[in-house]
């Protein structure tokens, strides 16, 4: 028995760089105590020809051999070109190196990488995609065919390499296993920008030719693999440290949930790896990790299907190898072991023939092998040959019986000075005896063994599974059964010595889509009837009646999983329910300077570019602070951040999306510890008028998101009005007895503009066209083309709107001219940047500003007039300016608010900065109204960034300038001192954020 000493629980894949005393660089001993020699023969791959098979130096688990190069080749360590005809290639993972670089190699081989993971965390693979100039992290080959990418980290893989990937994704929360407050760098190798420079030596470390260089997936620092040892192992989260939600401050007990569920990532309907087209990898070269179809075999080669255990045979998953026909059994065995990245002594294994049915090409068996099974971790599958091609011979790798074995026991979250201890197993070794032997080696001999347990952890690439072993479990038999099932599974299985401390299960489950306006008792009864919640295990902790949502506290992992799956398939009153697993933010552990960013992304905005933004933000920040608005709306994110004392919000979407988030903030603000969270905008819509005036740009067009986040971090706030619209529908004649068809009053918030008539009708037609065929609306150019088309169709349309509505301004009747559309504008941008009010001064009205507490009322005479306004040839017809408006609709009329259109029934519309807020008491028979002031704080961009046609005066942005907000004695609170300093600066403008109650928007420098 011996302890493998390591100064700290760090490993290269999960934490810092490997040390010379770590298991990563220590001699590897087999179960019989012999020094392991790498495979001595096998076919080469890639741009080299097999040369003399002289074993090269071994480093970090690699088995190098000298090869003769036939094509231009680059070193995977220094990324420089290999001059000459000789290089050193790892037989297992295809790592290529100069001879001079061999002694510097620290990158672990794929065969030993799983043993170096500090904290096993599963990956979240999205749908297959084409990733140009990217390389597989397992076989180090270029991703030429559709490949997979983790949604949380920068891991790229071939579909058939997924089963051999490490469970080394980012640890984004605490789950009760290996929790540490100290955060280390999380290095990911390769796929860096070609111009990336090393943080240490300042030389280029990126490469588009090979998998080279390292990047920390938290702080973003980029270094050479050799230079990484010069950096401190602790990670500070880099430039975005004040915006990132630290993993130590997030807790989520997710024992029965996959990472896709934990990070609220929508599961795609694409086939899982191993279930796709059998011919997808038909052009792959023969190398470890890739299969070669039998029809590509040469006459002097024989093709074999290799299974690694009984489970692979049952599911029909195999790997294909090609060996010389004259190869001996030892050479074939070594090639089969390399195909599964197994570098143990070949003497411990043997190849056995498969049952007759599969060997003879039984149709049913072959069909099973072609289709594969729904194996969660299995991603490699040999493509089944066509009927005209003979079925390749099949072999299965079996481990020889062992009378003794060596078990590595890891100390779990115990803070000890070694990475693991090695325990020799005999036929009588049980889980209890292993615990007794391991405690003294870990320095815990003073503690009783009854306080500890042995936990088996299967570190799959898609899910990490933990099993507590019984005290009487015979471990030698356990290891034998695992090897019989799958040799790959054996290499990914780890045993932890963990304290037997009781874990109080607690899972927060968000349920949306419920009927609004109910009380807690009614929601409890409704959920009990719909999904049969168990009273002793499930309780309703929070109710959001206005939005029809509730949060459940579940005290059982199994019950939480059952409810999650059941709620997703349940509908209440024909409305499908939404289920989300929510983490707990430990707000008391947040650093003093931490102001995390809550990100909302609408994946339907921006020509469906929101999907890519979701993935990018998850990688730049903590995935727990990124929420998809089509999956539960803004409420889940606001609930998660409800106890955070200071946070900011970034809304990625169009003007309608921004209004949606602001409305949710308004409804939940009384539950938030941060009552006025600043809000920034990443404009993804078609018009993006609010983003234009706040100088976030006319629309996102692929800019670097890191720079966008830096702009958000540097943003300041300015004031913008926030308006409330009360919609009260009734019969046009006002008869008091006509109550049968009355609709309840509805409250809508407005930030940009409200249109009645022709512009709302065009917006409604566009909205309906997009709902019918959303796949066609993938670009702003196409979207604007649709607007033009529907506008041309309305050219001859006339509805004489001035006869269908009545307008009161400040309790005064206003006679309307002959118009087709009436528009209330709050910002100097309408219809994708047009200035509807116009730049000319008018003695009848005050100069418009976004923070003056006044709305401007403008009329348009038709589609032709709107087109002229868009082209800057005309302005709208100025009608009125005020703070209180009452519009009477005499018939059903199209209405749109901030780009969201609908048909409004006859009745009244009341628009006011001092507007009514609808409250929902338990007794819904009455409606009480309270009055509050609405303001917005905004950020402005640089003067040169202003859009053409925007005639913004400096007094509009500077409160202390003559005629600015600071010089007027009406309409609202002044800016804070910090905001005043930012807005009075004439040379630069910081990007601004939106906050609520005295709403603040920020504008950009």
């Amino acid at each position: 028995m011996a302890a493998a000493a390591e100064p700290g629980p760090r490993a290269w894949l999960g934490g810092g760089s490997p040390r010379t005393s770590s298991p990563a660089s220590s001699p590897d001993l087999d179960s019989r105590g012999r020094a392991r020699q790498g495979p001595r023969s096998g076919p080469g791959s890639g741009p080299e020809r097999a040369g003399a098979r002289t074993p090269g130096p071994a480093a970090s688990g690699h088995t190098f051999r000298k090869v003769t190069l036939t094509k231009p080749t680059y070193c995977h360590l220094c990324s420089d070109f290999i001059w000459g005809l000789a290089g050193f290639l790892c037989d297992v993972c295809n790592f290529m190196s100069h001879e001079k670089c061999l002694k510097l190699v620290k990158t672990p081989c794929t065969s030993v990488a799983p043993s170096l993971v500090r904290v096993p965390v599963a990956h979240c693979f999205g749908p297959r995609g084409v990733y140009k100039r990217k390389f597989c992290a397992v076989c180090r080959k270029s991703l030429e065919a559709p490949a997979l990418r983790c949604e949380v980290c920068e891991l790229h893989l071939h579909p058939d390499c997924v089963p051999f990937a490490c469970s080394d994704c980012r640890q984004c929360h605490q789950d009760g296993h290996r929790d540490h407050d100290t955060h280390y760098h999380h290095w990911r190798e390769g796929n860096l920008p070609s111009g990336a420079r090393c943080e240490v030596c300042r030389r280029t470390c990126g490469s588009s030719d090979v998998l080279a260089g390292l990047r920390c997936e938290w702080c973003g620092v980029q270094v050479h693999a050799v230079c990484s040892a010069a950096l401190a192992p602790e990670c500070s989260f880099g430039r975005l440290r004040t915006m990132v939600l630290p993993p130590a401050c997030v807790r989520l007990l997710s024992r029965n949930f996959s990472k896709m569920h934990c990070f609220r990532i929508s599961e795609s309907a694409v086939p899982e790896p191993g279930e796709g087209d059998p011919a997808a990898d038909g052009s792959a070269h023969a190398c470890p990790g890739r299969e070669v179809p039998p029809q590509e075999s040469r006459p002097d080669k024989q093709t074999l299907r290799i299974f690694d255990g009984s489970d692979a045979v049952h599911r029909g998953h195999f790997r294909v190898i090609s060996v010389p026909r004259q190869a001996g059994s030892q050479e074939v065995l070594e090639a089969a072991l390399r195909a599964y990245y197994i570098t143990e002594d070949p003497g411990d294994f043997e190849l056995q023939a498969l049952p007759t049915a599969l060997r003879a090409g039984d149709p049913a068996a072959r069909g099973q092998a072609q289709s594969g099974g729904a194996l969660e971790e299995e991603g490699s599958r040999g493509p089944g040959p066509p009927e005209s091609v003979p079925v390749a011979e099949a072999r299965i790798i079996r481990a020889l019986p062992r009378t003794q074995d060596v078990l590595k026991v890891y100390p779990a979250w115990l803070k000890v000075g070694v990475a693991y201890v090695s325990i020799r197993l005999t036929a009588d070794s049980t889980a209890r005896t292993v615990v007794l032997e391991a405690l003294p080696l870990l320095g815990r001999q003073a503690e009783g063994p009854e306080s500890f347990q042995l936990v088996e952890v299967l570190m799959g690439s898609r899910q990490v599974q933990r099993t507590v072993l019984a005290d009487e479990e015979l471990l030698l038999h356990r290891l034998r059964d695992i090897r019989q099932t799958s040799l790959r599974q054996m290499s990914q299985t780890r045993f932890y010595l963990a304290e037997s401390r009781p874990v109080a299960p607690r899972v927060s489950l968000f349920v949306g889509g419920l009927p609004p306006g109910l009380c807690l008792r009614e929601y409890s009864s409704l959920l009990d009837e719909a999904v049969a919640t168990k009273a002793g295990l499930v309780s309703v902790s929070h109710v959001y009646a206005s939005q029809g949502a509730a949060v459940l506290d579940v005290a059982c992992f199994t019950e939480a999983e059952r409810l999650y799956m059941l709620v997703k398939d349940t509908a209440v009153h024909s409305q499908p329910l939404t289920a989300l697993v929510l983490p707990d933010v430990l707000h008391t552990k947040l650093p003093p300077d931490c102001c995390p960013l809550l990100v909302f992304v609408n994946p339907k905005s921006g020509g469906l570019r929101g999907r890519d933004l979701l993935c990018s933000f998850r990688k730049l920040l903590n995935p727990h602070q990124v929420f998809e608005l089509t999956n539960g709306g803004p409420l889940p994110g606001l609930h998660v951040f409800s106890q955070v004392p200071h946070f900011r919000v970034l809304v990625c979407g169009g003007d309608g999306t921004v209004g949606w988030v602001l409305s949710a903030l308004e409804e939940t603000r009384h539950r938030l510890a941060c009552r006025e969270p600043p809000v920034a905008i990443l404009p993804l819509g078609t018009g993006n008028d609010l983003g234009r005036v706040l100088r976030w740009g006319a629309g996102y067009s692929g800019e670097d998101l890191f720079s966008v986040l830096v702009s958000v971090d540097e943003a300041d706030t300015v004031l913008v009005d926030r308006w409330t619209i009360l919609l009260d529908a009734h019969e046009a004649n006002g008869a008091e007895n006509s109550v049968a068809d009355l609709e309840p009053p509805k409250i809508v918030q407005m930030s940009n503009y409200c249109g009645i008539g022709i512009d709302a009708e065009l917006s409604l037609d566009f909205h309906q066209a997009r709902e019918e065929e959303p796949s066609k609306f993938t670009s702003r150019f196409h979207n604007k083309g649709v607007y033009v088309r529907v506008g041309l169709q309305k050219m001859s349309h006339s509805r004489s709107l001035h006869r269908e509505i009545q307008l009161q301004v400040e309790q005064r009747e206003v006679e309307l001219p002959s118009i087709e559309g009436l528009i209330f504008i709050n910002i100097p941008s309408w219809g994708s940047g047009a200035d509807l009010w116009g730049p000319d001064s008018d003695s009848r009205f005050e100069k418009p500003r976004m923070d003056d507490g006044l709305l401007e009322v403008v009329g348009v005479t038709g589609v032709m007039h709107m087109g002229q306004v868009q082209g800057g040839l005309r302005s709208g017809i100025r009608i009125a300016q005020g703070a209180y408006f009452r519009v009477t609709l005499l018939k059903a009329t199209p209405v749109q608010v901030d780009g969201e259109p609908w048909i409004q029934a006859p009745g009244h519309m009341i628009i006011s900065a001092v507007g009514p807020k609808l409250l929902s008491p338990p007794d819904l028979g009455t409606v009480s109204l309270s009055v509050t002031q609405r303001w917005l704080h905004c950020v402005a961009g640089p003067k040169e960034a202003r859009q053409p046609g925007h005639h913004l005066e400096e007094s509009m942005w500077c409160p202390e300038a003559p005629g600015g907000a600071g010089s007027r004695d009406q309409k609202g609170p002044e800016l804070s001192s910090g905001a005043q300093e930012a807005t009075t600066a004439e040379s630069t403008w910081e990007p601004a954020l939106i906050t609520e109650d005295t709403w603040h928007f920020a504008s950009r420098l």
Side-chain angles (χ1 to χ4, degrees):
M1 297 177 292
E6 185 183 18
R10 293 166 35 212
W12 187 83
L13 286 176
S17 303
R19 300 189 177 187
T20 56
S21 60
S22 70
S25 55
S26 301
D28 195 1
L29 302 179
D30 64 14
S31 61
R32 300 177 183 178
R34 301 192 301 264
R36 179 183 60 80
Q37 299 295 328
R40 294 178 292 278
S41 61
S45 62
E48 70 280 339
R49 185 173 64 249
R53 298 187 181 277
T54 303
S60 301
H62 293 287
T63 304
F64 287 107
R65 63 184 173 92
K66 193 173 183 179
V67 295
T68 301
L69 305 178
T70 60
K71 294 182 180 180
T73 309
Y74 296 83
C75 177
H76 289 197
L77 180 67
C78 63
S79 71
D80 291 339
F81 183 77
I82 299 180
W83 295 96
L85 300 178
F88 285 83
L89 173 73
C90 176
D91 272 331
V92 179
C93 70
N94 301 315
F95 190 99
M96 179 65 72
S97 173
H98 290 106
E99 183 175 6
K100 65 179 181 180
C101 294
L102 285 179
K103 60 182 179 180
L104 302 176
V105 173
K106 294 185 178 181
T107 304
C109 181
T110 303
S111 60
V112 301
S115 65
L116 304 181
V117 176
R118 186 172 65 91
V119 180
V121 180
H123 292 281
C124 303
F125 294 108
R128 298 190 188 191
V130 178
Y131 304 104
K132 298 181 179 179
R133 307 190 76 84
K134 300 291 184 181
F135 297 88
C136 176
V138 172
C139 68
R140 312 183 71 87
K141 295 293 182 179
S142 176
L143 300 178
E144 298 173 355
L148 294 173
R149 178 187 65 182
C150 179
E151 297 285 325
V152 177
C153 66
E154 284 292 338
L155 183 75
H156 293 77
L157 296 172
H158 293 112
D160 57 310
C161 291
V162 171
F164 306 96
C166 298
S167 54
D168 63 339
C169 194
R170 290 192 298 166
Q171 185 183 15
C172 300
H173 60 265
Q174 294 187 351
D175 61 355
H177 303 280
R178 301 280 289 178
D179 293 338
H180 296 283
D181 292 336
T182 304
H183 201 78
Y184 299 100
H185 288 295
H186 189 99
W187 298 114
R188 179 67 64 201
E189 184 186 13
N191 295 320
L192 304 181
S194 57
R197 292 194 173 274
C198 177
E199 187 74 14
V200 177
C201 66
R202 307 308 303 172
R203 294 178 56 195
T204 301
C205 61
S207 173
S208 58
D209 301 300
V210 292
L211 193 71
L214 300 177
R215 177 183 180 273
C216 176
E217 295 187 297
W218 283 109
C219 65
V221 63
Q222 301 170 128
V223 294
H224 292 103
V226 176
C227 297
S228 62
L231 297 177
E234 294 79 13
C235 180
S236 63
F237 298 104
R239 172 63 182 82
L240 304 179
R241 61 185 176 275
T242 60
M243 309 179 73
V244 175
L245 188 62
C249 302
V250 184
R251 186 170 182 83
L252 177 59
L253 302 179
S254 55
R255 182 171 303 174
N256 289 22
F257 293 99
S258 70
K259 289 304 180 184
M260 304 291 282
H261 299 156
C262 296
F263 296 139
R264 304 164 304 280
I265 299 176
S266 300
E267 299 185 42
S268 174
V270 300
E272 290 295 321
E275 299 176 6
D277 183 7
D281 297 322
S283 60
H285 298 286
C287 66
R290 307 306 306 275
E291 288 100 7
V292 179
Q295 58 266 31
E296 292 188 3
S297 299
R298 295 182 298 180
D300 60 335
K301 298 281 187 177
Q302 64 172 335
T303 301
L304 297 175
R305 294 181 296 163
I306 304 298
F307 298 84
D308 75 326
S310 303
D311 185 74
V313 174
H314 174 72
R315 299 179 182 273
H317 293 280
F318 56 86
R319 296 182 75 78
V320 178
I321 64 171
S322 181
V323 296
R325 292 190 179 276
Q326 303 301 322
S329 58
Q330 181 71 9
E331 185 175 353
V332 175
L333 175 60
E334 292 174 356
L337 292 175
R338 283 199 305 273
Y340 282 95
Y341 299 94
I342 299 173
T343 56
E344 299 180 38
D345 186 1
D348 292 334
F349 303 90
E350 66 176 358
L351 277 178
Q352 297 179 359
L354 225 59
T356 307
L358 282 177
R359 186 171 66 247
D362 179 78
R366 186 171 66 246
Q368 181 186 13
Q370 289 179 359
S371 61
L375 180 60
E376 184 174 0
E377 299 298 335
E378 187 65 66
S380 72
R381 174 184 55 80
E387 295 295 335
S388 60
V389 178
V391 177
E393 294 186 28
R395 299 287 188 270
I396 183 170
I397 310 175
R398 289 298 191 189
L400 296 176
R402 304 185 184 189
T403 58
Q404 60 181 7
D405 210 331
V406 176
L407 183 71
K408 294 179 180 179
V409 179
Y410 292 78
W413 54 75
L414 304 177
K415 296 182 178 180
V416 295
V418 295
Y420 62 84
V421 295
S422 298
I423 306 295
R424 188 168 297 279
L425 301 180
T426 64
D428 299 327
S429 298
T430 63
R432 173 57 59 186
T433 60
V434 168
V435 171
L436 290 173
E437 295 182 40
L439 284 177
L441 297 176
L442 294 173
R444 308 297 287 266
Q445 59 272 15
E447 304 183 39
E450 62 277 357
S451 301
F452 297 88
Q453 59 190 4
L454 195 63
V455 181
E456 177 188 314
V457 179
L458 175 58
M459 304 184 300
S461 60
R462 289 182 176 272
Q463 188 168 6
V464 176
Q465 300 177 355
R466 295 175 172 86
T467 304
V468 178
L469 300 181
D471 291 344
E472 63 278 3
E473 181 84 38
L474 294 173
L475 292 185
L476 198 61
H477 292 174
R478 181 80 177 183
L479 297 183
R480 181 197 61 194
D481 293 342
I482 295 176
R483 290 190 178 98
Q484 288 288 106
T485 302
S486 171
L487 294 177
R488 172 185 56 83
Q489 179 177 329
M490 183 64 212
S491 66
Q492 296 178 341
T493 300
R494 183 180 291 182
F495 293 86
Y496 283 97
L497 183 65
E499 291 181 303
S500 304
R501 55 185 182 184
V503 178
R506 181 182 178 274
V507 179
S508 295
L509 200 61
F510 174 88
V511 180
L514 298 170
L518 305 182
C519 64
L520 187 148
R521 178 177 52 82
E522 292 172 321
Y523 280 123
S524 299
S525 301
L526 183 63
L527 289 172
D528 182 60
E529 179 182 352
V531 294
T533 56
K534 298 180 180 179
L537 301 175
V538 183
S539 61
V540 180
S541 61
H542 296 81
V543 168
Y544 296 91
S546 61
Q547 300 188 10
V551 178
L552 308 180
D553 275 349
V554 187
C556 175
F557 292 123
T558 304
E559 176 66 9
E561 182 183 23
R562 184 190 71 86
L563 287 178
Y564 177 83
M565 303 305 296
L566 189 58
V567 168
K568 291 177 62 177
D569 298 330
T570 302
V572 175
H573 299 170
S574 301
Q575 177 71 24
L577 300 183
T578 301
L580 297 175
V581 181
L582 300 183
D584 294 324
V585 177
L586 309 178
H587 60 279
T588 57
K589 299 179 64 175
L590 288 171
D593 61 340
C594 181
C595 185
L597 182 69
L598 175 59
V599 181
F600 293 111
V601 180
N602 187 351
K604 295 183 179 180
S605 298
L608 305 180
R609 184 174 287 177
R611 295 287 181 188
D612 295 331
L613 292 180
L614 276 169
C615 184
S616 299
F617 278 123
R618 290 189 183 111
K619 294 175 182 178
L620 288 170
L621 304 170
N622 191 323
H624 289 299
Q625 57 189 115
V626 181
F627 289 80
E628 181 180 347
L629 286 173
T630 56
N631 194 10
L635 190 56
L638 296 176
H639 175 80
V640 170
F641 275 63
S642 60
Q643 299 303 315
V644 178
H646 304 285
F647 69 92
R648 291 166 284 187
V649 178
L650 173 63
V651 182
C652 306
D655 292 337
T657 302
V658 176
W660 183 13
V661 174
L662 293 180
S663 298
L665 275 169
E666 181 68 26
E667 295 177 1
T668 60
R669 61 178 306 172
H670 62 284
R671 299 174 182 257
L672 302 178
C674 179
R675 296 297 182 90
E676 300 178 359
V679 181
I681 302 173
L682 184 61
L684 299 181
T686 302
N688 301 314
D689 292 289
L690 191 56
R692 292 170 187 267
V693 299
L694 300 181
R695 296 174 188 160
W696 291 104
Y700 176 73
S701 56
E703 296 85 0
D704 179 31
L705 289 182
F706 179 84
S707 301
V708 173
L709 293 177
V710 171
S711 298
V712 173
D713 191 39
E714 296 174 349
D716 292 319
T717 59
V718 294
L719 287 171
V720 174
D721 298 330
R722 175 93 167 145
W723 298 83
T724 297
I725 303 176
L726 173 63
L727 304 171
D728 184 14
H730 63 80
E731 293 293 334
N733 56 10
E736 297 181 0
N737 296 330
S738 301
V739 297
D741 297 328
L742 291 184
E743 297 180 3
K746 182 172 65 173
I747 297 292
V748 178
Q749 276 79 36
M750 183 191 78
S751 303
N752 303 352
Y753 42 73
C754 171
I756 305 174
I758 184 62
D759 75 314
E761 190 172 352
L762 297 181
S763 181
L764 183 61
D765 290 345
F766 171 84
H767 179 77
Q768 292 173 345
R770 184 170 58 180
E771 289 295 319
E772 292 176 358
E773 297 179 294
S775 60
K776 293 185 177 181
F777 293 76
T778 57
S779 69
R780 295 189 183 92
F781 182 79
H782 176 270
N783 294 352
K784 293 180 179 180
V786 175
Y787 266 115
V788 172
R789 187 187 68 202
V790 297
L792 294 176
Q793 294 172 352
K794 303 288 183 180
M795 285 285 290
S796 59
H797 175 76
S798 176
R799 64 182 303 151
S800 300
L801 183 69
H802 59 286
R803 300 176 182 174
E804 299 175 357
I805 63 174
Q806 298 174 356
L807 174 65
Q808 290 184 1
V809 181
E810 308 285 359
Q811 306 298 327
R812 178 175 55 87
E813 292 284 346
V814 174
E815 183 178 356
L816 296 176
S818 178
I819 57 175
E820 295 296 322
L822 186 68
I823 305 171
F824 300 82
I825 55 177
N826 184 49
I827 60 175
S829 178
W830 168 86
S832 299
D835 186 7
L836 191 58
W837 182 260
D840 299 334
S841 59
D842 192 329
S843 59
R844 298 176 302 165
F845 306 108
E846 300 184 25
K847 189 174 184 178
R849 294 200 319 273
M850 295 188 300
D851 63 341
D852 58 1
L854 299 176
L855 276 181
E856 287 69 49
V857 185
V858 182
V860 292
T861 59
V863 174
M864 181 64 71
H865 188 184
M866 294 172 60
Q868 293 171 337
V869 173
Q870 291 279 351
L873 303 178
R874 292 181 59 184
S875 299
I877 301 175
R878 299 178 181 179
I879 295 177
Q881 187 181 52
Y884 177 85
F885 305 88
R886 183 184 182 94
V887 181
T888 302
L889 304 179
L890 304 180
K891 59 184 298 185
T893 307
V895 175
Q896 64 103 353
V897 174
D898 292 347
E900 298 300 319
W902 70 91
I903 298 293
Q904 179 61 31
H908 296 296
M909 294 176 56
I910 299 177
I911 306 174
S912 176
V914 184
K917 179 181 179 181
L918 196 62
L919 303 180
S920 300
D923 182 7
L924 298 179
T926 60
V927 175
S928 59
L929 300 178
S930 64
V931 177
T932 57
Q933 185 91 22
R934 303 286 190 272
W935 293 85
L936 292 170
H937 294 229
C938 309
V939 188
K943 299 177 183 178
E944 58 271 16
R946 296 173 182 171
Q947 299 298 316
H950 286 187
H951 306 282
L952 305 182
E953 300 293 339
E954 261 331 292
S955 60
M956 176 178 180
W957 305 97
C958 302
E960 296 179 355
S967 65
R968 300 184 61 173
D969 56 358
Q970 63 175 17
K971 312 304 180 197
E974 294 187 5
L975 297 176
S976 62
S977 59
Q980 290 179 359
E981 293 174 1
T983 52
T984 53
E986 297 186 3
S987 58
T988 59
W989 288 94
E990 294 293 332
L993 310 171
I994 309 169
T995 61
E996 278 208 316
D997 188 29
T998 69
W999 279 91
H1000 291 209
F1001 280 85
S1003 81
R1004 195 171 186 175
L1005 282 193

